[in-house]
Amino acid sequence: MQQALVNLTSYIDALRSIIYIQHFDFQSVDELIMKSKDEQATTEIYEFNPGKGYVDFFSKRQKGDYSLKEMLSFIEDFEVAEAYIVLKDVHPFLDNPEIISLLKDISLRSMHDEKYNVTIFIVSTKLVIPDELEPFITVFDMPSPGINEIEELIGDFALKQDILIDHDVRGSLAVSFKGLTAFEIIQILNLAYQTGGTVAEEDKSLILKEKEQIIKKSGMIEIVNFKETIEDIGGLDHLKEWLEQKALIFKKLDKAIKFGVDIPKGTLIVGMPGCGKSLTAKATARLFEVPLLRLDVGKLLGKYIGESEDNMRRALKISEAVSPCVLWIDEIEKAFAGIGEGGHEVTSRLFGYFLTWLQEKDSTVFVVATANDISKLPPEFLRKGRFDELFYVDFPEGEERKKIFEIHLKKRNKWSKDIDTIQLINKTEGFSGADIESVVRDVIEKAFINGRDGIDTQDIIEVIEDTKSLSQLLKDRIEEMKKAIEKIDIKPASR
């Protein structure tokens, strides 16, 4: 929060005339605005909200039944002014030409009149930026409390309730609370205390439920329910070993961070369709023991200026609020295709914002991005530092195909040692994992229709010979994809 105060004060000192703070916890915003006010200065604070009109900033009591237009006109007429104007939930008024004009006049006077120093704070849960005011507005992000601040909140709560919370439990809960506001953290601590009379490690489930509510209310990110585990992946041993190492860090995040370990950023998995990329994203969340969120960039596109960027900002903030989590972006090349080659301006801005977030994030959001055709991804996306590692998934080789057959047959209780896997391997060169699963499904379906109790090697071979693999159906496209992958340094997912 100290860094937030430094940033806000620097904006005010730099004469940023309108500072837009998109946040729901107005009390925290008020405290920050108060701290930014120089104690020696004679700065007056005027507050307006649509419900009461002009109110006292400190007591929140109504001081005058003014409209927003009347209040802004009143302040704009001052000969000399040293003031803050705090406007709360006024976003519905920001399409009014008279309100826009008054805000613009105050901003211009503040910039050019030495005797007139007025900073406008627009505080709202919704971001609305009129074209006419865009040059004057600075969007300020209220940061969530850091780990140390959260531990202090937990400590203060324990002191207030006269309960003992173990030091290791505080650290573990602080990591789970990361991304939530102080208001939300205190609410969950209260709920835990009222439910069990204390705050313990088991209360992580309450935190997770609260975070699921945040996702559901946003409508921007989907929480994915899944049952897949790392054992459901046939092959991809390099990738699985790497993920297992990262999982050790995620399961002991509190201790890892204090030890000095960098928080894992994520991985980009590229390669052939139907070969386990999406399955890996699901298995990663199970391995890490965290929620799996899916982001569809296409859903973020809005029709108003700045709306798409705001949606992206909110979606990433929600993922941070829900962290630790796995954020899965499927077929990411479709979201950002054509960047740098005359692509859509909005898509370019979204891509730029996402890249910056990916490079600079210090949250416990582990990104799993999957892509089929790497040739459509901008080169800067593949630079080191964006992801911890890049992996290439090829069509499974013989031993991997054997494992995939075993996994799908065992899952359906049809595995037998009498099945000749050597024959199956020889017959399925170029088959993807999805092709093999489809073969197993068809074999078992036929056996059921024909009233048989089990299946044998010949049953499977008959279906294989009647199946066209993805490598056959998409031969030309796959050749292009392989050529694009050969041009970059990327680690194979399989041994």
Side-chain angles (χ1 to χ4, degrees), residues 302-419:
K303 60 182 179 179
Y304 299 111
I305 290 178
E307 187 178 356
S308 301
E309 294 90 323
D310 180 44
N311 288 341
M312 173 68 88
R313 189 184 298 110
R314 286 173 60 199
L316 295 178
K317 281 181 80 72
I318 288 164
S319 70
E320 289 181 334
V322 176
S323 64
C325 65
V326 171
L327 180 64
W328 172 28
I329 309 173
D330 196 19
E331 297 188 334
I332 198 167
E333 76 275 25
K334 291 182 180 178
F336 297 128
I339 301 291
E341 300 174 4
H344 197 279
E345 184 184 346
V346 172
T347 310
S348 298
R349 290 203 299 268
L350 285 181
F351 176 70
Y353 186 89
F354 179 73
L355 269 195
T356 303
W357 174 80
L358 200 59
Q359 182 83 33
E360 298 177 357
K361 77 180 182 70
D362 61 355
S363 62
T364 51
V365 177
F366 188 85
V367 178
V368 177
T370 59
N372 292 327
D373 191 353
I374 204 167
S375 65
K376 292 182 180 178
L377 281 171
E380 57 266 40
F381 197 68
L382 308 174
R383 239 181 25 227
K384 287 287 185 183
R386 312 293 192 199
F387 296 95
D388 296 317
E389 193 59 82
L390 279 63
F391 285 96
Y392 167 56
V393 175
D394 203 346
F395 288 108
E397 48 80 38
E399 189 61 30
E400 290 180 318
R401 295 200 297 279
K402 176 185 173 183
K403 286 181 183 176
I404 295 168
F405 268 113
E406 286 184 16
I407 286 168
H408 290 298
L409 287 167
K410 284 178 179 177
K411 193 185 289 185
R412 295 163 176 83
N413 298 316
K414 292 294 181 286
W415 171 249
S416 167
K417 289 182 180 178
D418 295 332
I419 291 174

Side-chain angles (χ1 to χ4, degrees), residues 46 72-83 109-110 112-118:
Y46 300 89
L72 293 175
S73 299
F74 170 67
I75 296 169
E76 201 274 331
D77 283 340
F78 288 169
E79 289 294 324
V80 178
E82 182 81 30
R109 276 199 65 189
S110 293
H112 299 295
D113 186 343
E114 291 183 4
K115 296 179 180 179
Y116 192 87
N117 186 9
V118 174

Side-chain angles (χ1 to χ4, degrees), residues 236-253:
L236 310 186
D237 290 334
H238 275 157
L239 174 55
K240 288 195 290 189
E241 286 171 8
W242 184 84
L243 288 171
E244 282 165 355
Q245 290 174 0
K246 297 299 178 186
L248 289 174
I249 298 171
F250 252 72
K251 288 174 183 176
K252 299 178 180 177
L253 267 173

Side-chain angles (χ1 to χ4, degrees), residues 9 24 26 31 65 76 112 148 155 167 188 201 217 297 300 327 338 353 379 407 409 413 418 422 425 433 440 458 472:
T9 304
F24 75 92
F26 287 178
E31 289 171 4
D65 190 18
E76 201 274 331
H112 299 295
N148 292 336
H167 183 267
I188 295 171
E201 184 82 18
K217 287 186 281 188
V297 178
L300 304 180
L327 180 64
Y353 186 89
I407 286 168
L409 287 167
N413 298 316
D418 295 332
I422 301 299
I425 289 170
V440 172
Q458 189 56 39
Q472 292 174 297

